[in-house]
Amino acid sequence: YEAMEKQVPEYSCKVQGDASSWRKVLKMAGYGNAGVPPLVSERMDNAHEKESAPLTEEAAQKQQMIWDDYSNARPWVASSPSQEAASVLIRNREMIVADILKSSVATTNFGLPSDEAELDDAMRSLATILCEDSDTYNDETVQQCRENQYVKALAAFLDHRMCVPRDMGTLSAASIKRLASSL
């Protein structure tokens, strides 16, 4: 797998699953102990902190090199994993908002509003923050988006709800996971 991750950018950027998604699948298996033995389940839960940690400068550079290899031949792909995550959110925001509105988990456990306009505003704010590594927005705009009371809850809910690679690639999904823990 290491060779695939380093030498085939399409794998890392679009095909590879992530540990978080695999944990969700294993826990939903439904065969005694929520599908996995308690010790394994505890180790799986503890992995979230490591996955949510900010990237080191070296890791960020390596990730961007892989992304550049992937996106250079694809003009429709954003120039960074976080910008691609923003693009996916905006393209699918109506379906995501509808999914949130029909989910009591989103409003009860994550504190998201049940108002479509507020959710849409939070979605756009989150996308703006994900584009922060570009020169598209000024610092004041990004700061206003960070102050949106629902952005952190939305990022956390999306991280909880998302399945990689079904919903988006692992590098893009990881940018939402890191953002959810840093807000």
Side-chain angles (χ1 to χ4, degrees), residues 14-182:
K14 205 63 178 165
V15 177
Q16 179 182 13
D18 73 344
S20 179
S21 292
W22 287 112
R23 283 194 306 275
K24 291 172 198 171
V25 169
L26 288 173
K27 284 185 171 186
M28 290 189 306
Y31 299 103
N33 299 320
V36 293
L39 181 59
V40 174
S41 182
E42 184 178 313
R43 282 194 322 235
M44 289 169 31
D45 290 339
N46 293 339
H48 180 76
E49 287 180 33
K50 182 180 177 185
E51 295 167 354
S52 302
L55 290 176
T56 64
E57 186 64 34
E58 181 183 353
Q61 288 174 351
K62 285 181 182 177
Q63 179 178 292
Q64 189 60 47
M65 286 175 47
I66 291 169
W67 189 264
D68 289 344
D69 286 345
Y70 172 72
S71 65
N72 283 339
R74 295 166 180 84
W76 61 89
V77 173
S79 60
S80 75
S82 62
Q83 290 175 26
E84 183 65 15
S87 176
V88 170
L89 291 180
I90 293 300
R91 281 194 314 268
N92 297 306
R93 84 176 178 281
E94 290 175 359
M95 289 184 294
I96 294 169
V97 166
D99 182 54
I100 291 170
L101 290 174
K102 71 179 183 181
S103 169
S104 63
V105 169
T107 55
T108 305
N109 296 2
F110 288 89
L112 288 172
S114 56
D115 179 71
E116 187 172 344
E118 287 179 312
L119 283 171
D120 190 65
D121 186 51
M123 187 79 64
R124 291 169 190 267
S125 293
L126 179 57
T128 300
I129 295 166
L130 287 165
C131 290
E132 186 175 15
D133 62 349
S134 73
D135 294 327
T136 307
Y137 301 103
N138 63 38
D139 292 339
E140 185 179 323
T141 302
V142 172
Q143 185 56 40
Q144 287 174 346
C145 291
R146 285 183 178 278
E147 292 169 2
N148 181 310
Q149 65 179 340
Y150 299 117
V151 168
K152 180 178 176 65
L154 177 61
F157 174 76
L158 291 173
D159 177 44
H160 167 78
R161 180 80 170 90
M162 195 176 331
C163 183
V164 175
R166 179 194 70 192
D167 298 322
M168 74 175 58
T170 188
L171 299 180
S172 298
S175 64
I176 292 176
K177 181 183 293 295
R178 287 189 302 273
L179 185 61
S181 70
S182 71

